[in-house]
Amino acid sequence: MVIITLKRKGRFTGMNVAELVGRTLAQLGVGHAFGVVGSGNFEFTNALRQNGVPFVAARHEGGAATMADAFSRMSGTVAVVTTHQGCGLTNAITGVSEAAKSRTPMIVLAADTPGFAVRSNFKIDQDALARSIGAVAERIHSPESAVADTVRAYRTAVNEHRTVVLSFPLDVQAAPAPLGTPDHIAELASTSALRPSVDAVDQLVSLLAAAKRPVFVAGRGGRLARDEILELAQASGALVATSAVASGLFNEDEFSLGISGGFSSPVTAELITGADLIVGWGCALNMWTMRHGSLIAAGTKVVQIDVEDSALGANRPIDLGILGDSALTASDVLAELTKMNRQSETKYRTQANKQLIATQSRWQDVPIEDISTPERIDPRLVTTTLDAMLPKDRIVSVDSGNFMGYPSTHLSVPDEFGFCFTQAFQSIGLGLHTAIGAALAQPSRLPVLGTGDGGFLMGISELETAVRLHIPLVIIVYNDAAYGAEVHHFTSAHDLETVTFPDVDVAAIGRGFGASGITVRTVADLDGVRTWLDGPQDAPLVIDVKIANDGGSWFLAEAFEAH
């Protein structure tokens, strides 16, 4: 979290407010900007660029918004989306909704109509639209308040982990920057993280001391507390797992179960269900992470730690809610356990569990009954084969749909910055945008996307963006010529004509955009991937995988129980 102070060093003339706001955001330290430039956002977008903020011109505002979301998640810095007034913002709104629901620190710098332009075709209530999707509505009110308004929006994004829609009226943009405007944003000062109460720490210490089979589950809010959580887990005998968005966080720990929830392997699910205490660290403990509560056995105590009071117990009953930073909470609890001489207990960290986790907790280790046909390949087989073939230093992004369990579970990732999962809004079509933003955030890693044919075709305009940027993106299209989730949910008892389609040559479409493209029906067809890996990797590779009918993926069946 940050506090920003302003220093006045001089007076400026010849600069308008659009240029001032762009410069201010650059000085605050935004990492990247994305957008589709129109007349309304032309000047402040160029001001960002002129002040050193890299900018990606997307093909659709929705793509730009999700690229910014992914960049913020994977880089740890605030990204900016710039939009035209009205329609530019509405085009971006699905991506902005995903970011807002995920509490991504991000700024949407949206042009707005002047207050007097009551009959403008572009006029909408942008503030109300932002609030309706869970974003924070802010605006540049006047030339005199422009710097303070911008700083307030940035502080809200960073300190409160919020997506902020900062509306910027055209008349304010065009006004001259007032004399006496601060010309420099002072060095950022860190604020204190939220420390848990002594009583809350004592209660968790007591629960850990009494537990025989504790399990820690870390979510996105625990990603910056890995070392502290692991140290406490080792001291208290707890196994560790993550929600999907924090996948990879505990990779190095031999008692790591991987992902908790719908993507859990049978052994992982069994060990979590066997817990007598589950502690969520910055984790929502929602229906996905807890399989609609089925991973919580009768009598199991549940603890949730979060920096937001409203998050505690929001998704399920809990026995203890702790308002506090995950790292500070873990450190304080460990200190108390140490005083009690209760650290370094084996409990759930037995040799038997260690062996079980090492040999059976990964989906790659679970035997499969190959359902491939001469024309279509088992999605598990193709994913595990690609997992072994692709470089391990990768960043995996996943679109939404029936297929999504395969790249999420059968593609390994190096750490928590190797997996980007934009699924809070459950919209298909965000995968390609996610992969581009993630690739720019982690340029030293090979970006890999798992997507369905429906989602890929929905967002395909941004394939040109990936080609233009020369991103070496591996795109795995799980192609079942359908919206597979609906096909398997509604079954053959319903008319499925609205959700099934002719088989599309996705590889050829990829080549038409300037990418490489191969079609895969058998493992032998993956030789084309090796050829691409041995080449310059200066354009994306589209792998059109004709997948066999899985009858509905395992996680999908569980997900639809709540529909």
Side-chain angles (χ1 to χ4, degrees):
M1 296 190 291
V2 296
I3 295 175
I4 297 107
T5 56
L6 305 179
K7 292 182 179 178
R8 297 178 183 273
K9 284 195 172 181
R11 298 188 172 192
F12 285 85
T13 58
M15 176 187 293
N16 64 24
V17 178
E19 294 168 319
L20 174 63
V21 168
R23 189 189 68 180
T24 300
L25 284 170
Q27 290 180 352
L28 287 168
V30 298
H32 219 293
F34 303 81
V36 176
V37 175
S39 58
N41 61 328
F42 185 87
E43 282 204 71
F44 59 71
T45 298
N46 277 336
L48 286 165
R49 294 174 61 235
Q50 289 158 8
N51 284 278
V53 178
F55 177 77
V56 168
R59 289 299 188 170
H60 191 278
E61 289 90 348
T66 303
M67 290 175 201
D69 181 7
F71 184 91
S72 292
R73 296 183 193 217
M74 294 293 103
S75 70
T77 58
V78 175
V80 174
V81 185
T82 77
T83 73
H84 189 276
Q85 63 270 27
C87 55
L89 180 58
T90 57
N91 275 349
I93 211 65
T94 296
V96 177
S97 298
E98 167 64 36
K101 291 176 185 297
S102 298
R103 301 301 289 259
T104 299
M106 186 175 94
I107 294 174
V108 183
L109 186 57
D112 200 1
T113 53
F116 60 80
V118 294
R119 303 293 294 178
S120 170
N121 287 343
F122 292 120
K123 186 174 181 61
I124 61 172
D125 190 339
Q126 295 190 174
D127 292 352
L129 178 59
R131 288 190 291 268
S132 75
I133 61 170
V136 176
E138 290 282 4
R139 62 178 42 244
I140 308 293
H141 292 281
S142 69
E144 290 74 20
S145 68
V147 171
D149 294 337
T150 305
V151 169
R152 183 177 63 252
Y154 184 85
R155 289 185 61 187
T156 300
V158 175
N159 290 354
E160 300 180 25
H161 303 284
R162 299 297 297 272
T163 296
V164 180
V165 177
L166 181 60
S167 291
F168 198 176
L170 296 179
D171 53 337
V172 179
Q173 287 187 43
L179 296 176
T181 297
D183 68 336
H184 180 67
I185 305 298
E187 183 179 350
L188 306 185
S190 297
T191 61
S192 298
L194 182 62
R195 181 152 241 124
S197 69
V198 173
D199 181 61
V201 169
D202 288 343
Q203 290 186 64
L204 181 51
V205 167
S206 297
L207 287 169
L208 285 171
K212 292 180 171 57
R213 300 177 305 281
V215 170
F216 292 174
V217 182
R220 193 173 173 190
R223 288 175 69 196
L224 297 179
R226 175 183 56 196
D227 293 345
E228 293 85 355
I229 294 171
L230 277 180
E231 192 173 0
L232 179 61
Q234 292 159 4
S236 58
L239 305 182
V240 292
T242 70
S243 66
V245 293
S247 178
L249 182 65
F250 299 129
N251 276 358
E252 75 276 17
D253 191 84
E254 57 195 4
F255 288 97
S256 173
L257 297 168
I259 298 176
S260 171
F263 296 153
S264 294
S265 70
V267 161
T268 291
E270 178 184 346
L271 288 170
I272 295 173
T273 306
D276 59 1
L277 172 66
I278 293 176
V279 183
W281 301 88
C283 178
L285 299 176
N286 58 24
M287 66 178 185
W288 308 108
T289 306
M290 290 289 109
R291 285 188 172 178
H292 307 283
S294 66
L295 292 183
I296 305 172
T300 298
K301 300 292 186 181
V302 179
V303 177
Q304 188 179 2
I305 298 141
D306 208 287
V307 293
E308 294 178 52
D309 184 72
S310 61
L312 299 175
N315 289 292
R316 62 189 60 265
I318 57 176
D319 297 281
L320 173 63
I322 298 179
L323 188 63
D325 172 76
S326 288
L328 288 178
T329 301
S331 295
D332 288 357
V333 171
L334 178 62
E336 291 304 310
L337 278 177
T338 302
K339 289 179 186 177
M340 295 171 58
N341 232 0
R342 300 297 298 267
Q343 72 274 21
S344 302
E345 297 191 35
T346 300
K347 294 194 174 183
Y348 220 12
R349 291 190 163 225
T350 65
Q351 286 300 311
N353 281 344
K354 177 181 174 180
Q355 180 65 19
L356 192 62
I357 291 167
T359 58
Q360 298 184 44
S361 67
R362 300 188 331 139
W363 274 105
Q364 291 93 327
D365 301 321
V366 177
I368 67 170
E369 182 178 342
D370 190 356
I371 61 172
S372 301
T373 70
E375 293 298 313
R376 293 192 168 267
I377 191 169
D378 188 315
R380 298 164 297 180
L381 177 61
V382 73
T383 311
T384 53
T385 305
L386 284 168
D387 183 51
M389 185 183 299
L390 297 173
K392 297 301 181 186
D393 195 14
R394 64 184 67 149
I395 182 164
V396 175
S397 300
V398 182
D399 209 326
S400 190
N402 177 66
F403 71 91
M404 64 190 288
Y406 304 118
S408 298
T409 58
H410 290 69
L411 289 177
S412 58
V413 296
D415 54 34
E416 71 274 22
F417 290 101
F419 190 69
C420 195
F421 196 68
T422 47
Q423 301 291 339
F425 203 29
Q426 295 176 244
S427 172
I428 73 167
L430 304 186
L432 184 54
H433 322 330
T434 298
I436 293 171
L440 294 171
Q442 296 287 336
S444 66
R445 295 183 171 183
L446 179 74
V448 180
L449 167 65
T451 182
D453 53 305
F456 181 64
L457 292 171
M458 184 179 289
I460 200 168
S461 62
E462 301 304 346
L463 182 56
E464 187 279 331
T465 304
V467 170
R468 174 168 26 100
L469 297 178
H470 302 288
I471 296 176
L473 172 61
V474 176
I475 303 170
I476 309 167
V477 182
Y478 295 83
N479 189 349
D480 61 358
Y483 291 133
E486 284 65 36
V487 167
H488 297 302
H489 177 55
F490 290 106
T491 75
S492 58
H494 294 79
D495 181 357
L496 300 176
E497 186 177 356
T498 57
V499 290
T500 55
F501 303 91
D503 191 15
V504 172
D505 189 345
V506 171
I509 293 175
R511 290 191 293 270
F513 274 84
S516 297
I518 62 171
T519 300
V520 172
R521 299 180 186 275
T522 68
V523 169
D525 293 332
L526 290 171
D527 286 344
V529 178
R530 294 187 178 89
T531 301
W532 182 86
L533 289 170
D534 291 337
Q537 299 182 23
D538 57 356
L541 169 65
V542 177
I543 310 173
D544 183 4
V545 183
K546 309 298 186 181
I547 60 169
N549 186 343
D550 61 8
S553 66
W554 80 96
F555 89 91
L556 185 73
E558 294 174 349
F560 276 139
E561 287 177 6
H563 285 207

